[in-house]
DNA sequence: AACAATGTTCAGTC
DNA sequence: GGACTGAACATTGT
């Protein structure tokens, strides 16, 4: 699930956790919270508060203050391959639940495995002194929570990148354009689905070398990407993309009817229109 | 059983 | 050192 649009959705849910006093933290999952040892994050943040929720690409982080009002360490949260954020209000009950990283914004997920009632899939939990909580729910366990995340290694956010930045960062090298879009140090936030959706909308072959693009083509690609990202945020996730349901065997392009083709580009399964996105 | 999964990272090669 | 590739990571679903 989580690409830029889902993470932005999750970030907005994390904002529901701001300015509430942290009573305790369960950071005992050593894989998710590495390299911190159990209790380390708890010790650093207990008694303090989260004061702001930021996002760049797929990485979120919160500013914090300690109990005495001094600046605390930032808290990084990454949803990995399938993580979600749940926050409950002061009552702590299900009625006050906010779900982030999920397509059904504000509603309860329908699939059993997406419901928040599998305690063994809770990988991190922050309990507030008002009775509510924030937790990372992640059945695949590839999410991350850690102190002081290094966001400088990320490129500009894919929904915000400027025209000049895009030209300079994306339009060079011999790697496939899709691999370039997926490189988080080039620009941050594009995942496998958003890449396929963007390239399909732009009628660009995913395997075409990035350095071959003209300035005009790069500008057009950037416009398409930002539109795809923002539309997905608005609609609740990348899965709302037009071509996404057609990423399957025996499917056809929803625009021209030609067969969809499957392959591997940038190490990821890739689908494209065999006619409009030919090399 | 084998393989893929909306992500990241690290070892290895050119 | 940079660019690039492929496997590994933990876990679940098909």
């Amino acid at each position: 699930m989580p690409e830029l649009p889902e993470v932005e959705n999750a970030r907005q849910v994390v904002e529901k956790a701001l300015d509430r006093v942290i009573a305790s933290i369960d950071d005992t999952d050593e894989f998710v919270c590495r390299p911190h040892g159990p209790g380390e994050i708890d010790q650093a943040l207990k008694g303090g508060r989260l004061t702001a929720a930021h996002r760049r690409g797929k990485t979120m982080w919160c500013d914090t203050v300690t109990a005495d009002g001094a600046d605390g360490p930032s808290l990084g949260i990454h949803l990995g391959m399938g993580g979600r954020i749940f926050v409950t209000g002061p009552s702590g009950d299900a009625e006050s639940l906010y779900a982030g990283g999920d397509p059904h914004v504000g509603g309860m997920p329908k699939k059993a495995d997406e419901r928040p009632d599998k305690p063994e899939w809770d990988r991190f939990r922050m309990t507030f002194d008002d009775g509510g909580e924030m937790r990372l729910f992640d059945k695949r366990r590839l999410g991350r929570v850690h102190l002081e995340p290094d966001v400088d290694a990320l490129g500009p956010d894919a929904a915000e990148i400027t025209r000049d930045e895009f030209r300079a960062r994306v339009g060079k090298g011999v790697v496939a354009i899709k691999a370039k879009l997926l490189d988080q140090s080039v620009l941050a936030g594009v995942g496998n689905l958003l890449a396929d959706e963007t390239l399909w909308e732009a009628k660009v072959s995913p395997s075409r070398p990035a350095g071959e693009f003209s300035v005009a083509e790069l500008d057009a690609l950037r416009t398409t990407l930002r539109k795809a990202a923002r539309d997905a945020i608005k609609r609740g996730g990348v899965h709302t993309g037009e071509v996404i349901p057609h990423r399957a065997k025996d499917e056809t392009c929803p625009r021209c009817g030609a067969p969809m083709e499957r392959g591997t580009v940038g190490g990821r399964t890739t689908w494209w229109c065999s006619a409009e996105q030919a090399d």
Side-chain angles (χ1 to χ4, degrees), chain A residues 151-276:
Chain A
V151 291
D152 293 337
L154 298 169
D157 189 82
E160 308 295 334
I161 188 169
T162 66
R163 192 186 61 180
D164 289 345
E165 283 175 327
F166 193 90
R167 288 177 182 175
R169 291 175 160 268
V170 176
K172 63 177 183 191
V174 298
V175 277
I177 188 68
K178 179 174 176 182
K180 209 69 165 174
L181 294 178
L182 289 174
D183 186 336
Q184 304 299 299
S185 68
V186 171
L187 78 172
V190 180
N192 202 29
L193 293 189
L194 186 56
D196 275 7
E197 174 72 17
T198 299
L199 293 168
W200 174 80
E201 283 187 20
K203 300 185 183 178
V204 165
S205 164
S207 51
R208 193 172 152 208
E212 283 184 7
F213 284 67
S214 70
V215 167
E217 287 172 324
L218 290 169
D219 289 353
L221 188 57
R222 167 178 165 273
T223 301
T224 305
L225 170 59
R226 293 181 14 138
K227 182 179 186 310
R230 291 177 169 180
D231 283 355
I233 290 171
K234 210 184 312 170
R235 297 183 197 141
V238 275
H239 67 283
T240 60
E242 215 183 318
V243 81
I244 302 306
H246 301 271
R247 294 174 84 258
K249 200 171 182 302
D250 300 327
E251 276 290 338
T252 54
C253 171
R255 202 166 37 203
C256 78
M260 292 296 290
E261 208 162 328
R262 178 194 201 272
T264 299
V265 182
R268 309 297 303 278
T269 297
T270 302
W271 293 87
W272 66 94
C273 170
S274 57
E276 298 173 337

Side-chain angles (χ1 to χ4, degrees), chain A residues 7-237:
Chain A
V7 179
E8 172 55 24
N9 174 240
R11 190 198 63 78
Q12 290 169 19
V13 170
V14 172
E15 290 193 325
K16 304 291 182 185
L18 301 183
D19 301 317
R20 299 165 69 180
V21 176
I22 299 163
S24 66
I25 290 174
D26 181 347
D27 59 359
T28 52
D29 188 314
E30 294 182 47
F31 184 78
V32 169
C33 297
R34 76 192 143 84
H36 304 297
E40 206 174 317
I41 300 177
D42 177 57
Q43 194 170 358
L45 299 180
K46 194 176 355 190
R49 291 175 287 121
L50 307 178
T51 56
H54 309 282
R55 179 191 64 76
R56 183 147 158 199
K58 306 170 198 171
T59 296
M60 292 182 276
W61 71 98
C62 295
D63 298 332
T64 71
V65 294
T66 59
D68 55 20
D71 285 349
S74 64
L75 178 70
I77 305 174
H78 197 293
L79 300 179
M81 198 85 122
R84 309 182 57 207
I85 291 289
F86 291 110
V87 176
T88 54
S91 63
D93 59 23
E95 313 243 312
S96 64
L97 181 71
Y98 295 94
D102 184 80
H104 314 291
V105 183
M108 284 294 278
K110 296 183 183 82
K111 288 188 202 161
D113 63 291
E114 288 179 355
R115 281 203 305 265
D117 54 6
K118 279 263 200 183
E120 64 268 38
W121 289 342
D122 286 337
R123 310 299 182 181
F124 177 87
R125 179 191 311 266
M126 177 177 284
T127 306
F128 303 110
D129 71 350
D130 60 17
E133 66 178 17
M134 173 172 81
R135 64 202 158 92
L136 171 65
F137 180 83
D138 177 16
K139 62 182 171 187
R140 259 176 215 156
R141 214 182 172 200
L142 287 173
R144 294 299 155 60
V145 178
H146 59 128
L147 300 171
E148 305 284 12
D150 179 19
V151 291
D152 293 337
L154 298 169
D157 189 82
E160 308 295 334
I161 188 169
T162 66
R163 192 186 61 180
D164 289 345
E165 283 175 327
F166 193 90
R167 288 177 182 175
R169 291 175 160 268
V170 176
K172 63 177 183 191
V174 298
V175 277
I177 188 68
K178 179 174 176 182
K180 209 69 165 174
L181 294 178
L182 289 174
D183 186 336
Q184 304 299 299
S185 68
V186 171
L187 78 172
V190 180
N192 202 29
L193 293 189
L194 186 56
D196 275 7
E197 174 72 17
T198 299
L199 293 168
W200 174 80
E201 283 187 20
K203 300 185 183 178
V204 165
S205 164
S207 51
R208 193 172 152 208
E212 283 184 7
F213 284 67
S214 70
V215 167
E217 287 172 324
L218 290 169
D219 289 353
L221 188 57
R222 167 178 165 273
T223 301
T224 305
L225 170 59
R226 293 181 14 138
K227 182 179 186 310
R230 291 177 169 180
D231 283 355
I233 290 171
K234 210 184 312 170
R235 297 183 197 141

